[in-house]
């Protein structure tokens, strides 16, 4: 296999040889790594994913498993334009490490781009819980409120979150702007007016 790959530059024969090794010895990670290298080099994405799936079953280290899932998700997202599969794969990272900021950040973007508002709300709440910077917490809470207001039909819940934000950051401009918009709408204008008034006391 190595001769085919490096000396003769015949990747198809090298792939066939490495695949035979993997069939004979299902525990041979080095053969799988060689297939991963060749499949990436020749952009054979579907076959690459199959090898990743075999490898992730063999490795025991959680960090190594996470990296394989990240690599798989990158293929789904970047090469195969399959956001649903990428989402499922990032979720597997969170099964291993619920606080993995990289997976959470990717899911934030994917849920937003796919209009999966309920799922995005859950991720924003997780990001808010994990954030240590008060400014970041406020921004995640603000985005949650806007989701309730704009996409989930929960204006009353949005006003409650805006109230919490103003308790922590009374001058938060986006929150005051959002409440002003609700004030001039037909849902919860009195509640919005009360919060705006409270913020200016």
């Amino acid at each position: 296999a190595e001769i085919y790959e490096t000396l003769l530059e015949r990747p198809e024969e090298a792939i066939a040889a490495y695949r035979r090794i993997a069939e004979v010895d299902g525990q041979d990670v080095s053969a799988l790594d060689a297939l991963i290298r060749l499949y990436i080099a020749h952009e054979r994405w579907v076959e690459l994913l199959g090898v990743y799936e075999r490898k992730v079953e063999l490795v025991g280290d959680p960090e190594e498993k996470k990296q394989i899932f990240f690599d798989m998700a990158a293929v789904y997202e970047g090469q195969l334009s399959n956001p649903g599969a990428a989402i499922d794969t990032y979720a597997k990272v969170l099964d291993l490490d619920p606080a993995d900021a990289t997976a959470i950040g990717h899911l934030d973007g994917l849920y937003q781009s796919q209009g999966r508002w309920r799922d995005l709300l859950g991720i924003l709440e997780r990001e808010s819980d994990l954030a240590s910077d008060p400014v970041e917490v406020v921004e995640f809470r603000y985005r949650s409120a806007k989701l309730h207001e704009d996409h989930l039909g929960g204006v009353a819940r949005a006003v409650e979150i805006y109230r919490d934000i103003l308790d922590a950051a009374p001058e938060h401009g986006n929150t005051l702007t959002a409440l002003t918009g609700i004030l001039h709408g037909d849902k919860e204008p009195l509640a919005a007016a009360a919060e705006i008034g409270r913020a200016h006391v």
Side-chain angles (χ1 to χ4, degrees), residues 37-84:
R37 181 176 64 250
L38 285 162
Y39 286 149
I40 290 173
H42 296 277
E43 301 184 353
R44 291 168 61 165
W45 307 119
V46 174
E47 290 163 295
L48 172 64
L49 289 168
V51 178
Y52 279 144
E53 288 172 358
R54 291 181 63 180
K55 184 177 178 181
V56 81
E57 293 176 357
L58 294 178
V59 300
D61 179 57
E63 290 300 316
E64 192 171 357
K65 284 182 179 289
K66 281 170 54 176
Q67 187 56 57
I68 295 169
F69 285 134
F70 278 125
D71 292 340
M72 291 175 68
V75 172
Y76 281 125
E77 194 173 355
Q79 276 71 42
L80 299 181
S81 299
N82 188 338

Side-chain angles (χ1 to χ4, degrees), residues 111-186:
Y111 285 145
Q112 178 137 352
S113 68
Q114 298 301 301
R116 291 174 57 168
W117 309 123
R118 290 281 178 193
D119 292 321
L120 177 58
L121 181 62
I123 283 293
L124 288 172
E125 290 172 350
R126 189 180 300 208
E127 288 178 300
S128 176
D129 291 341
L130 293 173
S132 56
D133 184 344
V135 174
E136 289 185 356
V137 173
V138 165
E139 290 308 313
F140 289 132
R141 296 294 289 154
Y142 170 75
R143 288 179 61 200
S144 295
K146 288 298 290 179
L147 267 185
H148 281 290
E149 180 185 350
D150 296 341
H151 299 292
L152 300 176
V155 177
R157 177 59 183 145
V159 171
E160 291 175 3
I161 299 173
Y162 290 140
R163 178 192 306 130
D164 293 340
I165 292 171
L166 292 178
D167 286 342
E171 302 300 323
H172 191 254
N174 286 336
T175 294
L176 293 170
T177 298
L179 285 168
T180 301
I182 294 172
L183 174 64
H184 293 102
D186 57 0

